[in-house]
Amino acid sequence: VQLVESGGGSVQEGGSLRLSCAASGNIYGTYCFGWFRQAPAKKREGIGYIGKDGSTITYEDSVKGRFTISRDSAKNIVYLQIDSLKPEDTAMYYCAADVPPCSYDVRDAYQYNHWGQGTQVTVS
């Protein structure tokens, strides 16, 4: 499975971005996905999780209300909509995926065997 993130960029505070994570390869059934981010000199942070059918979505508390995860299973794409961007959202954003069963814990990065290369978000 290959994951490719896109949609990052440089935006002003208060703006919005929609990040995409396109999955390709030997996808058996449907996968669980997670979104993570890592700012310079900081630890990787879990942002959210979406289950294989999209019915279960969880978020890290600090991003609730501004971040929205969705998926288009027919296209094997998972989205991360980020609204009201803040400078502290500046980071490299990664998606990750693996086969169920998956943990709803957004912090659990170790359950994922497949990772994208990341897309940079810079807010000024």
Side-chain angles (χ1 to χ4, degrees):
V1 174
Q2 294 80 43
L3 303 177
V4 178
E5 300 95 334
S6 62
S10 296
V11 297
Q12 291 188 339
E13 184 174 3
S16 298
L17 283 174
R18 188 176 78 160
L19 309 184
S20 299
C21 172
S24 61
N26 293 325
I27 300 175
Y28 300 100
T30 54
Y31 276 52
C32 317
F33 285 82
W35 279 99
F36 297 81
R37 66 184 178 183
Q38 187 165 19
K42 292 189 176 181
K43 294 182 179 179
R44 182 175 54 195
E45 175 186 23
I47 298 172
Y49 161 91
I50 185 166
K52 62 181 180 65
D53 58 4
S55 62
T56 301
I57 304 175
T58 55
Y59 298 95
E60 197 274 331
D61 286 345
S62 69
V63 305
K64 286 180 180 178
R66 295 194 302 118
F67 287 36
T68 305
I69 297 174
S70 61
R71 67 185 294 166
D72 183 337
S73 294
K75 297 180 180 179
N76 290 323
I77 299 176
V78 175
Y79 301 100
L80 176 65
Q81 175 73 34
I82 310 175
D83 298 316
S84 302
L85 277 156
K86 304 175 181 180
E88 50 264 43
D89 294 322
T90 294
M92 186 72 80
Y93 284 71
Y94 300 90
C95 67
D98 217 309
V99 295
C102 300
S103 167
Y104 301 166
D105 186 348
V106 303
R107 299 165 296 178
D108 187 358
Y110 295 103
Q111 66 175 320
Y112 300 107
N113 287 307
H114 308 286
W115 290 79
Q117 82 292 345
T119 186
Q120 177 69 38
V121 172
T122 303
V123 185
S124 59

